[in-house]
Amino acid sequence: MTLRDIAATRPGLVHLALAVGGFAIGTTEFAAMSLEPDLARGLNVDAPAVGHIISAYALGVVVGAPTIAVLSAKMSRYTLLIGLMTLFAIGNALSAIAPTYGWMLVFRFCAGLPHGAYFGIAALVAASLVPPGRRTQAVGRIMLGLTVATIVGVPVATLLGQIASWRWMFGLVAGLALLTAALVALLAPIDPPDRSASPLRELDALRRPQVWLTLGTGAIGFGGMFAVYTYLAATLNDVTGLAPSRVPLILAVFGSGMTLGNLVVPRFADRALMPTAGALLLWSAAALLLYPLAATNVWTMTLDVFAIGLGGALGTVLQTRLMDVAGDAQSLAAALNHSAFNTANAIGPLLGGLAIAAGYGWTATGVVGSGLALAGLAIWAVSLAVERGMPIAGRRHARQ
């Protein structure tokens, strides 16, 4: 009996293999933010310029997710997952040896290209291995790789960057990506290409208003978390007065919140998907609004960072929502979810950086973030109103 035969009866093994990819992606995405001071010194740029490096990666995700999903419509998911992780490894290896700030921007953009398509296809594979009533929990298991990265991967990468060099962090991620490709090759089901699939069928998702409303909810509503997290290390140093060596502990608290959220929230989402998404947006708006008040004390800051992390389960919930409203264009819609969240990753740091540059201080990112969460809630409300206003027949058509 092969490893793939064993995995066929134990889908958790496939989920674990896919989650390792999420761990690699989460480490590079969030550690780049936590290593902002080190990147600034190493590349001889200021903090806002490092924000542009983060935004370049996010832009790569935004561009790569729909492009790859459409162009690879006829490929098997098995082959695509292995290819995407190989490309991700190459992008991070190049980032590790980037000679200048300009090249770093290029390499981070390239590293971001496979991110969204990988998560989208991985989510579809994970959901296909479990009963329909447990789809969100299956997607949550894949996202656990990303959230565990914020507990283990990011603190370790941050310490590694502080002790040795930020370049080692990107090298570590490249190795994890190659490990993921190997695990997928050994464990994931080998599916035949869908001969009925086509780029045009995938593009059909863009004709569905509920797809756009769901993407808008994530693109705006999730921006608040990124507005705060990007500048969290600097805020802990300059406002909370925390020693740099203790910053990874607070980052791990944030990751613990995200992990708990992805363990618990999907159970509610599988019963009431849209109400759960709305509750998460309200929770995030409140936690982010408290951030400026909490930042001056290490204990209140720790509690608030944990609360902000809990709101990270929104990504898992909206992933399942897109499965419901995308019809036959599952691959594109699933990948676009990560374009949306990396649009948030571009918007949040940009607006937070503008507030800091305008002289409002590091904690102004919390107010900016709360505003973004409330704006996402407004889009969610429009989506809910449109859905409830649809006749039953029309609602079923939107989900087919």
Side-chain angles (χ1 to χ4, degrees):
M1 180 177 288
T2 66
L3 287 174
R4 183 170 292 105
D5 292 332
I6 297 172
T9 61
R10 298 180 181 179
L13 290 175
V14 181
H15 292 165
L16 177 61
L18 297 173
V20 174
F23 183 84
I25 290 173
T27 298
T28 194
E29 185 169 24
F30 287 97
M33 300 177 195
S34 65
L35 284 169
E36 173 262 316
D38 302 276
L39 282 165
R41 286 191 297 269
L43 295 170
N44 297 314
V45 295
D46 57 14
V50 175
H52 296 155
I53 292 174
I54 295 165
S55 295
Y57 178 88
L59 182 61
V61 182
V62 172
V63 172
T67 303
I68 293 173
V70 170
L71 295 180
S72 64
K74 290 184 175 294
M75 289 182 64
S76 76
R77 292 172 179 175
Y78 173 82
T79 303
L80 186 55
L81 285 172
I82 296 172
L84 289 171
M85 269 293 113
T86 303
L87 290 174
F88 186 71
I90 293 170
N92 280 280
L94 290 173
S95 298
I97 60 173
T100 65
Y101 172 72
W103 278 113
M104 185 57 133
L105 288 174
V106 173
F107 294 151
R108 293 317 290 154
F109 173 82
C110 293
L113 290 173
H115 172 138
Y118 172 80
F119 265 129
I121 300 301
L124 291 173
V125 170
S128 71
L129 300 176
V130 299
R134 295 173 57 193
R135 290 176 308 154
T136 311
Q137 294 175 62
V139 174
R141 292 191 190 101
I142 306 305
M143 297 302 291
L144 280 176
L146 188 151
T147 62
V148 171
T150 61
I151 302 174
V152 179
V154 173
V156 168
T158 302
L159 285 173
L160 184 63
Q162 293 172 346
I163 294 171
S165 167
W166 52 266
R167 295 181 185 274
W168 284 97
M169 181 273 288
F170 293 114
L172 173 65
V173 169
L176 288 169
L178 291 177
L179 174 62
T180 302
L183 289 172
V184 170
L186 289 170
L187 298 173
I190 301 176
D191 61 308
D194 183 355
R195 299 189 181 282
S196 65
S198 70
L200 287 177
R201 193 181 80 175
E202 291 298 326
L203 288 170
D204 183 66
L206 302 181
R207 297 174 52 247
R208 298 169 180 265
Q210 285 292 1
V211 168
W212 285 107
L213 288 169
T214 303
L215 294 173
T217 300
I220 303 300
F222 216 51
M225 190 197 76
F226 287 112
V228 164
Y229 191 89
T230 301
Y231 306 100
L232 179 57
T235 305
L236 289 167
N237 289 335
D238 295 348
V239 179
T240 313
L242 203 64
S245 61
R246 296 190 176 185
V247 169
L249 296 175
I250 306 301
L251 300 179
V253 169
F254 173 85
S256 298
M258 287 192 72
T259 300
L260 182 62
N262 273 284
L263 283 170
V264 175
V265 171
R267 298 179 182 275
F268 293 97
D270 277 329
R271 296 181 178 90
L273 192 66
M274 283 296 279
T276 301
L280 282 171
L281 286 163
L282 275 174
W283 175 276
S284 295
L288 290 163
L289 191 60
L290 290 172
Y291 183 75
L293 300 175
T296 56
N297 180 277
V298 66
W299 297 110
T300 56
M301 183 65 150
T302 300
L303 289 172
D304 196 53
V305 166
F306 180 81
I308 293 170
L310 284 171
L314 180 66
T316 300
V317 175
L318 293 184
Q319 186 80 68
T320 305
R321 170 66 174 169
L322 282 168
M323 292 180 189
D324 287 342
V325 299
D328 291 330
Q330 290 287 309
S331 295
L332 177 59
L336 282 173
N337 187 44
H338 297 277
S339 288
F341 283 107
N342 280 273
T343 298
N345 194 3
I347 293 173
L350 174 63
L351 295 181
L354 289 175
I356 294 167
Y360 292 105
W362 297 109
T363 60
T365 57
V367 179
V368 171
S370 184
L372 287 170
L374 290 174
L377 183 66
I379 300 172
W380 167 88
V382 171
S383 178
L384 186 64
V386 169
E387 183 175 68
R388 289 183 173 177
M390 295 170 69
I392 297 299
R395 194 178 309 170
R396 286 175 181 165
H397 176 74
R399 295 190 181 189
Q400 290 176 350

